[in-house]
mmCIF file of all heavy atoms in Angstrom:
data_model
loop_
_atom_site.group_PDB
_atom_site.id
_atom_site.type_symbol
_atom_site.label_atom_id
_atom_site.label_comp_id
_atom_site.label_asym_id
_atom_site.label_seq_id
_atom_site.Cartn_x
_atom_site.Cartn_y
_atom_site.Cartn_z
ATOM 1 N N ASP A 1 49.428 20.789 55.571
ATOM 2 C CA ASP A 1 50.738 20.435 54.971
ATOM 3 C C ASP A 1 50.554 20.213 53.443
ATOM 4 O O ASP A 1 51.539 20.028 52.749
ATOM 5 C CB ASP A 1 51.241 19.126 55.595
ATOM 6 C CG ASP A 1 50.301 17.972 55.476
ATOM 7 O OD1 ASP A 1 49.061 18.220 55.166
ATOM 8 O OD2 ASP A 1 50.674 16.772 55.663
ATOM 9 N N ARG A 2 49.366 20.352 52.923
ATOM 10 C CA ARG A 2 49.150 20.177 51.496
ATOM 11 C C ARG A 2 48.582 21.435 50.838
ATOM 12 O O ARG A 2 48.916 21.783 49.719
ATOM 13 C CB ARG A 2 48.193 18.959 51.173
ATOM 14 C CG ARG A 2 48.798 17.596 51.507
ATOM 15 C CD ARG A 2 47.669 16.613 51.536
ATOM 16 N NE ARG A 2 46.794 16.666 52.635
ATOM 17 C CZ ARG A 2 45.523 16.145 52.631
ATOM 18 N NH1 ARG A 2 45.089 15.675 51.503
ATOM 19 N NH2 ARG A 2 44.799 16.358 53.711
ATOM 20 N N CYS A 3 47.637 22.071 51.435
ATOM 21 C CA CYS A 3 47.037 23.269 50.869
ATOM 22 C C CYS A 3 47.983 24.465 50.916
ATOM 23 O O CYS A 3 48.667 24.710 51.734
ATOM 24 C CB CYS A 3 45.717 23.589 51.712
ATOM 25 S SG CYS A 3 44.855 25.048 51.185
ATOM 26 N N GLY A 4 47.794 25.255 49.802
ATOM 27 C CA GLY A 4 48.579 26.470 49.730
ATOM 28 C C GLY A 4 48.076 27.711 50.294
ATOM 29 O O GLY A 4 48.517 28.761 50.058
ATOM 30 N N GLY A 5 46.957 27.613 51.030
ATOM 31 C CA GLY A 5 46.165 28.781 51.374
ATOM 32 C C GLY A 5 46.756 29.440 52.639
ATOM 33 O O GLY A 5 47.215 30.561 52.648
ATOM 34 N N CYS A 6 46.711 28.777 53.877
ATOM 35 C CA CYS A 6 47.063 29.402 55.116
ATOM 36 C C CYS A 6 48.513 29.066 55.523
ATOM 37 O O CYS A 6 48.727 28.222 56.375
ATOM 38 C CB CYS A 6 46.133 28.967 56.213
ATOM 39 S SG CYS A 6 44.331 29.391 55.898
ATOM 40 N N SER A 7 49.443 29.717 54.813
ATOM 41 C CA SER A 7 50.893 29.290 55.023
ATOM 42 C C SER A 7 51.469 29.667 56.436
ATOM 43 O O SER A 7 52.563 29.324 56.734
ATOM 44 C CB SER A 7 51.736 30.000 53.947
ATOM 45 O OG SER A 7 51.648 31.382 53.982
ATOM 46 N N TRP A 8 50.676 30.443 57.310
ATOM 47 C CA TRP A 8 51.175 30.870 58.558
ATOM 48 C C TRP A 8 50.335 30.216 59.661
ATOM 49 O O TRP A 8 50.484 30.665 60.800
ATOM 50 C CB TRP A 8 51.161 32.355 58.792
ATOM 51 C CG TRP A 8 52.246 33.072 58.036
ATOM 52 C CD1 TRP A 8 53.211 32.580 57.249
ATOM 53 C CD2 TRP A 8 52.595 34.484 58.335
ATOM 54 N NE1 TRP A 8 54.055 33.604 56.890
ATOM 55 C CE2 TRP A 8 53.755 34.752 57.503
ATOM 56 C CE3 TRP A 8 51.989 35.494 59.088
ATOM 57 C CZ2 TRP A 8 54.358 35.977 57.533
ATOM 58 C CZ3 TRP A 8 52.654 36.762 59.025
ATOM 59 C CH2 TRP A 8 53.791 37.021 58.286
ATOM 60 N N GLN A 9 49.654 29.162 59.389
ATOM 61 C CA GLN A 9 48.770 28.544 60.418
ATOM 62 C C GLN A 9 49.599 27.865 61.528
ATOM 63 O O GLN A 9 49.051 27.575 62.553
ATOM 64 C CB GLN A 9 47.801 27.606 59.761
ATOM 65 C CG GLN A 9 46.565 27.439 60.589
ATOM 66 C CD GLN A 9 45.577 26.506 59.916
ATOM 67 O OE1 GLN A 9 45.423 25.314 60.265
ATOM 68 N NE2 GLN A 9 44.814 27.041 58.933
ATOM 69 N N HIS A 10 50.870 27.674 61.261
ATOM 70 C CA HIS A 10 51.775 27.005 62.214
ATOM 71 C C HIS A 10 52.303 28.054 63.268
ATOM 72 O O HIS A 10 53.016 27.660 64.199
ATOM 73 C CB HIS A 10 52.967 26.325 61.578
ATOM 74 C CG HIS A 10 53.856 27.275 60.866
ATOM 75 N ND1 HIS A 10 53.497 27.968 59.791
ATOM 76 C CD2 HIS A 10 55.157 27.566 61.034
ATOM 77 C CE1 HIS A 10 54.485 28.684 59.303
ATOM 78 N NE2 HIS A 10 55.498 28.548 60.130
ATOM 79 N N LEU A 11 51.962 29.318 63.120
ATOM 80 C CA LEU A 11 52.346 30.368 63.971
ATOM 81 C C LEU A 11 51.197 30.857 64.899
ATOM 82 O O LEU A 11 50.079 30.874 64.504
ATOM 83 C CB LEU A 11 52.826 31.631 63.178
ATOM 84 C CG LEU A 11 54.064 31.478 62.310
ATOM 85 C CD1 LEU A 11 54.111 32.566 61.308
ATOM 86 C CD2 LEU A 11 55.279 31.472 63.258
ATOM 87 N N ARG A 12 51.501 31.072 66.151
ATOM 88 C CA ARG A 12 50.551 31.621 67.037
ATOM 89 C C ARG A 12 50.122 32.964 66.523
ATOM 90 O O ARG A 12 50.860 33.697 65.798
ATOM 91 C CB ARG A 12 51.174 31.828 68.431
ATOM 92 C CG ARG A 12 51.500 30.582 69.247
ATOM 93 C CD ARG A 12 51.596 30.925 70.729
ATOM 94 N NE ARG A 12 52.009 32.266 70.991
ATOM 95 C CZ ARG A 12 53.301 32.632 71.489
ATOM 96 N NH1 ARG A 12 54.200 31.679 71.665
ATOM 97 N NH2 ARG A 12 53.550 33.826 71.739
ATOM 98 N N TYR A 13 48.872 33.370 66.759
ATOM 99 C CA TYR A 13 48.193 34.565 66.125
ATOM 100 C C TYR A 13 48.988 35.797 66.642
ATOM 101 O O TYR A 13 49.142 36.698 65.783
ATOM 102 C CB TYR A 13 46.727 34.644 66.413
ATOM 103 C CG TYR A 13 46.122 35.760 65.615
ATOM 104 C CD1 TYR A 13 46.332 35.817 64.264
ATOM 105 C CD2 TYR A 13 45.278 36.643 66.208
ATOM 106 C CE1 TYR A 13 45.750 36.850 63.512
ATOM 107 C CE2 TYR A 13 44.663 37.605 65.505
ATOM 108 C CZ TYR A 13 44.917 37.811 64.092
ATOM 109 O OH TYR A 13 44.331 38.789 63.397
ATOM 110 N N ASP A 14 49.479 35.865 67.838
ATOM 111 C CA ASP A 14 50.159 37.043 68.276
ATOM 112 C C ASP A 14 51.492 37.281 67.506
ATOM 113 O O ASP A 14 51.874 38.373 67.198
ATOM 114 C CB ASP A 14 50.349 37.058 69.801
ATOM 115 C CG ASP A 14 51.195 35.864 70.276
ATOM 116 O OD1 ASP A 14 51.238 34.832 69.566
ATOM 117 O OD2 ASP A 14 51.869 36.012 71.342
ATOM 118 N N ALA A 15 52.170 36.088 67.130
ATOM 119 C CA ALA A 15 53.299 36.195 66.437
ATOM 120 C C ALA A 15 53.039 36.603 64.966
ATOM 121 O O ALA A 15 53.874 37.355 64.293
ATOM 122 C CB ALA A 15 54.017 34.790 66.359
ATOM 123 N N GLN A 16 51.891 36.206 64.339
ATOM 124 C CA GLN A 16 51.515 36.688 63.089
ATOM 125 C C GLN A 16 51.307 38.110 63.030
ATOM 126 O O GLN A 16 51.823 38.812 62.163
ATOM 127 C CB GLN A 16 50.181 35.964 62.663
ATOM 128 C CG GLN A 16 50.287 34.466 62.463
ATOM 129 C CD GLN A 16 48.976 33.876 62.104
ATOM 130 O OE1 GLN A 16 48.213 34.466 61.377
ATOM 131 N NE2 GLN A 16 48.629 32.642 62.481
ATOM 132 N N LEU A 17 50.681 38.702 64.000
ATOM 133 C CA LEU A 17 50.335 40.076 64.125
ATOM 134 C C LEU A 17 51.673 40.914 64.200
ATOM 135 O O LEU A 17 51.869 41.891 63.553
ATOM 136 C CB LEU A 17 49.486 40.434 65.289
ATOM 137 C CG LEU A 17 48.038 39.890 65.190
ATOM 138 C CD1 LEU A 17 47.354 40.178 66.466
ATOM 139 C CD2 LEU A 17 47.295 40.592 64.031
ATOM 140 N N GLN A 18 52.579 40.414 65.059
ATOM 141 C CA GLN A 18 53.915 41.087 65.097
ATOM 142 C C GLN A 18 54.651 41.152 63.841
ATOM 143 O O GLN A 18 55.241 42.122 63.472
ATOM 144 C CB GLN A 18 54.777 40.396 66.224
ATOM 145 C CG GLN A 18 54.349 40.464 67.608
ATOM 146 C CD GLN A 18 55.018 39.506 68.546
ATOM 147 O OE1 GLN A 18 55.933 38.891 68.191
ATOM 148 N NE2 GLN A 18 54.438 39.431 69.844
ATOM 149 N N ALA A 19 54.662 40.053 63.093
ATOM 150 C CA ALA A 19 55.331 39.889 61.846
ATOM 151 C C ALA A 19 54.695 40.842 60.796
ATOM 152 O O ALA A 19 55.391 41.460 59.959
ATOM 153 C CB ALA A 19 55.348 38.475 61.352
ATOM 154 N N LYS A 20 53.373 40.941 60.809
ATOM 155 C CA LYS A 20 52.704 41.813 59.828
ATOM 156 C C LYS A 20 52.959 43.268 60.037
ATOM 157 O O LYS A 20 53.238 44.034 59.126
ATOM 158 C CB LYS A 20 51.175 41.493 59.843
ATOM 159 C CG LYS A 20 50.863 40.108 59.288
ATOM 160 C CD LYS A 20 49.377 39.879 59.293
ATOM 161 C CE LYS A 20 49.039 38.428 58.847
ATOM 162 N NZ LYS A 20 47.714 38.219 58.469
ATOM 163 N N GLN A 21 52.873 43.613 61.321
ATOM 164 C CA GLN A 21 53.265 44.995 61.618
ATOM 165 C C GLN A 21 54.744 45.340 61.197
ATOM 166 O O GLN A 21 54.937 46.365 60.637
ATOM 167 C CB GLN A 21 53.129 45.342 63.148
ATOM 168 C CG GLN A 21 53.537 46.683 63.595
ATOM 169 C CD GLN A 21 52.689 47.297 64.581
ATOM 170 O OE1 GLN A 21 51.498 46.950 64.764
ATOM 171 N NE2 GLN A 21 53.182 48.286 65.294
ATOM 172 N N ARG A 22 55.601 44.354 61.466
ATOM 173 C CA ARG A 22 57.045 44.656 61.087
ATOM 174 C C ARG A 22 57.180 44.671 59.589
ATOM 175 O O ARG A 22 57.988 45.417 59.070
ATOM 176 C CB ARG A 22 57.903 43.522 61.656
ATOM 177 C CG ARG A 22 59.338 43.719 61.491
ATOM 178 C CD ARG A 22 60.172 42.833 62.355
ATOM 179 N NE ARG A 22 59.747 41.384 62.265
ATOM 180 C CZ ARG A 22 59.156 40.670 63.242
ATOM 181 N NH1 ARG A 22 58.852 41.280 64.433
ATOM 182 N NH2 ARG A 22 58.808 39.437 62.990
ATOM 183 N N SER A 23 56.372 43.910 58.766
ATOM 184 C CA SER A 23 56.521 43.862 57.311
ATOM 185 C C SER A 23 56.069 45.255 56.813
ATOM 186 O O SER A 23 56.653 45.682 55.782
ATOM 187 C CB SER A 23 55.706 42.778 56.735
ATOM 188 O OG SER A 23 54.309 43.006 56.843
ATOM 189 N N VAL A 24 55.051 45.840 57.357
ATOM 190 C CA VAL A 24 54.561 47.131 56.847
ATOM 191 C C VAL A 24 55.704 48.200 57.204
ATOM 192 O O VAL A 24 56.137 48.900 56.294
ATOM 193 C CB VAL A 24 53.312 47.570 57.562
ATOM 194 C CG1 VAL A 24 52.968 49.007 57.210
ATOM 195 C CG2 VAL A 24 52.194 46.668 57.086
ATOM 196 N N ASP A 25 56.197 48.179 58.434
ATOM 197 C CA ASP A 25 57.278 49.185 58.751
ATOM 198 C C ASP A 25 58.520 48.958 58.021
ATOM 199 O O ASP A 25 59.156 49.937 57.498
ATOM 200 C CB ASP A 25 57.532 49.007 60.266
ATOM 201 C CG ASP A 25 58.390 50.144 60.843
ATOM 202 O OD1 ASP A 25 58.109 51.277 60.399
ATOM 203 O OD2 ASP A 25 59.207 49.855 61.706
ATOM 204 N N ASP A 26 58.871 47.712 57.723
ATOM 205 C CA ASP A 26 60.140 47.478 57.003
ATOM 206 C C ASP A 26 60.044 47.939 55.572
ATOM 207 O O ASP A 26 60.977 48.549 54.996
ATOM 208 C CB ASP A 26 60.430 45.941 57.046
ATOM 209 C CG ASP A 26 61.577 45.578 56.187
ATOM 210 O OD1 ASP A 26 62.704 45.965 56.540
ATOM 211 O OD2 ASP A 26 61.449 44.905 55.140
ATOM 212 N N ALA A 27 58.874 47.710 54.923
ATOM 213 C CA ALA A 27 58.674 48.094 53.545
ATOM 214 C C ALA A 27 58.803 49.693 53.471
ATOM 215 O O ALA A 27 59.362 50.143 52.519
ATOM 216 C CB ALA A 27 57.357 47.601 52.926
ATOM 217 N N LEU A 28 58.070 50.307 54.374
ATOM 218 C CA LEU A 28 58.074 51.791 54.300
ATOM 219 C C LEU A 28 59.469 52.335 54.440
ATOM 220 O O LEU A 28 59.834 53.370 53.816
ATOM 221 C CB LEU A 28 57.169 52.298 55.363
ATOM 222 C CG LEU A 28 55.709 52.046 55.120
ATOM 223 C CD1 LEU A 28 54.825 52.482 56.331
ATOM 224 C CD2 LEU A 28 55.189 52.726 53.861
ATOM 225 N N ARG A 29 60.269 51.822 55.360
ATOM 226 C CA ARG A 29 61.628 52.269 55.673
ATOM 227 C C ARG A 29 62.634 51.852 54.551
ATOM 228 O O ARG A 29 63.425 52.640 54.132
ATOM 229 C CB ARG A 29 62.058 51.907 57.007
ATOM 230 C CG ARG A 29 61.203 52.429 58.160
ATOM 231 C CD ARG A 29 61.680 52.102 59.516
ATOM 232 N NE ARG A 29 60.803 52.660 60.577
ATOM 233 C CZ ARG A 29 60.828 53.906 61.028
ATOM 234 N NH1 ARG A 29 61.669 54.703 60.607
ATOM 235 N NH2 ARG A 29 59.991 54.280 61.950
ATOM 236 N N ARG A 30 62.514 50.614 54.134
ATOM 237 C CA ARG A 30 63.522 50.058 53.226
ATOM 238 C C ARG A 30 63.168 50.451 51.789
ATOM 239 O O ARG A 30 64.126 50.859 51.075
ATOM 240 C CB ARG A 30 63.556 48.500 53.422
ATOM 241 C CG ARG A 30 64.682 47.869 52.496
ATOM 242 C CD ARG A 30 64.648 46.405 52.857
ATOM 243 N NE ARG A 30 63.301 45.793 52.831
ATOM 244 C CZ ARG A 30 62.690 45.267 51.775
ATOM 245 N NH1 ARG A 30 63.314 45.423 50.550
ATOM 246 N NH2 ARG A 30 61.495 44.779 51.836
ATOM 247 N N ILE A 31 61.941 50.310 51.331
ATOM 248 C CA ILE A 31 61.628 50.587 49.983
ATOM 249 C C ILE A 31 61.251 52.085 49.778
ATOM 250 O O ILE A 31 61.719 52.712 48.901
ATOM 251 C CB ILE A 31 60.465 49.683 49.499
ATOM 252 C CG1 ILE A 31 60.805 48.250 49.618
ATOM 253 C CG2 ILE A 31 60.018 50.078 48.100
ATOM 254 C CD1 ILE A 31 59.701 47.282 49.335
ATOM 255 N N GLY A 32 60.464 52.577 50.698
ATOM 256 C CA GLY A 32 59.944 53.951 50.528
ATOM 257 C C GLY A 32 60.938 54.948 51.117
ATOM 258 O O GLY A 32 60.674 56.241 50.910
ATOM 259 N N LYS A 33 61.920 54.551 51.914
ATOM 260 C CA LYS A 33 62.776 55.496 52.582
ATOM 261 C C LYS A 33 61.972 56.523 53.442
ATOM 262 O O LYS A 33 62.404 57.659 53.590
ATOM 263 C CB LYS A 33 63.602 56.275 51.636
ATOM 264 C CG LYS A 33 64.360 55.497 50.542
ATOM 265 C CD LYS A 33 65.242 54.393 51.150
ATOM 266 C CE LYS A 33 65.936 53.534 50.074
ATOM 267 N NZ LYS A 33 66.672 52.381 50.750
ATOM 268 N N MET A 34 60.900 56.042 54.040
ATOM 269 C CA MET A 34 60.133 56.879 54.958
ATOM 270 C C MET A 34 60.757 56.816 56.404
ATOM 271 O O MET A 34 61.366 55.846 56.853
ATOM 272 C CB MET A 34 58.666 56.259 55.114
ATOM 273 C CG MET A 34 57.999 56.151 53.744
ATOM 274 S SD MET A 34 57.302 57.784 53.224
ATOM 275 C CE MET A 34 58.311 58.014 51.742
ATOM 276 N N ALA A 35 60.491 57.911 57.074
ATOM 277 C CA ALA A 35 60.999 57.962 58.513
ATOM 278 C C ALA A 35 60.063 58.985 59.299
ATOM 279 O O ALA A 35 59.313 59.741 58.592
ATOM 280 C CB ALA A 35 62.352 58.484 58.595
ATOM 281 N N GLU A 36 60.177 58.885 60.602
ATOM 282 C CA GLU A 36 59.513 59.852 61.463
ATOM 283 C C GLU A 36 58.010 59.873 61.177
ATOM 284 O O GLU A 36 57.329 60.978 61.056
ATOM 285 C CB GLU A 36 60.052 61.272 61.209
ATOM 286 C CG GLU A 36 61.505 61.386 61.618
ATOM 287 C CD GLU A 36 62.048 62.785 61.419
ATOM 288 O OE1 GLU A 36 61.309 63.720 60.983
ATOM 289 O OE2 GLU A 36 63.264 62.975 61.666
ATOM 290 N N TYR A 37 57.344 58.735 61.188
ATOM 291 C CA TYR A 37 55.916 58.649 61.124
ATOM 292 C C TYR A 37 55.487 57.785 62.356
ATOM 293 O O TYR A 37 56.232 57.028 62.880
ATOM 294 C CB TYR A 37 55.492 57.939 59.788
ATOM 295 C CG TYR A 37 56.090 56.644 59.488
ATOM 296 C CD1 TYR A 37 55.508 55.446 60.068
ATOM 297 C CD2 TYR A 37 57.202 56.498 58.721
ATOM 298 C CE1 TYR A 37 56.075 54.191 59.777
ATOM 299 C CE2 TYR A 37 57.793 55.226 58.469
ATOM 300 C CZ TYR A 37 57.167 54.157 59.024
ATOM 301 O OH TYR A 37 57.767 52.932 58.738
ATOM 302 N N GLU A 38 54.130 57.931 62.587
ATOM 303 C CA GLU A 38 53.600 57.084 63.771
ATOM 304 C C GLU A 38 53.085 55.776 63.230
ATOM 305 O O GLU A 38 52.311 55.750 62.268
ATOM 306 C CB GLU A 38 52.330 57.902 64.350
ATOM 307 C CG GLU A 38 51.727 57.145 65.482
ATOM 308 C CD GLU A 38 50.404 57.680 65.874
ATOM 309 O OE1 GLU A 38 49.936 58.716 65.343
ATOM 310 O OE2 GLU A 38 49.776 57.194 66.903
ATOM 311 N N LEU A 39 53.656 54.760 63.726
ATOM 312 C CA LEU A 39 53.260 53.449 63.286
ATOM 313 C C LEU A 39 52.229 52.950 64.484
ATOM 314 O O LEU A 39 52.788 52.623 65.530
ATOM 315 C CB LEU A 39 54.397 52.455 63.180
ATOM 316 C CG LEU A 39 54.065 50.967 62.795
ATOM 317 C CD1 LEU A 39 53.388 50.909 61.447
ATOM 318 C CD2 LEU A 39 55.292 50.104 62.876
#
C-alpha cells in the first residue's frame, strides 16, 4: 500500500496474464491498426 513497485499485486496471477495479453493485442489493433495475425 506504500511502495510504487508492484502495482498489480492485488490481482491473481492468471488475471494479470490475461490483462497483459489483452494490452498487447489492444495496442496492435488500436494504435498499429494491425489485423489478421496470430496472437
Side-chain angles (χ1 to χ4, degrees):
D1 61 344
R2 291 170 287 157
C3 175
C6 299
S7 59
W8 279 13
Q9 207 177 99
H10 64 294
L11 292 164
R12 291 199 331 252
Y13 189 49
D14 60 334
Q16 295 179 32
L17 293 174
Q18 292 168 10
K20 292 183 184 195
Q21 174 141 339
R22 186 165 52 249
S23 71
V24 172
D25 193 38
D26 177 67
L28 292 173
R29 294 182 184 279
R30 182 175 51 84
I31 299 172
K33 310 303 180 187
M34 302 282 113
E36 297 180 2
Y37 55 86
E38 178 190 5
L39 179 65

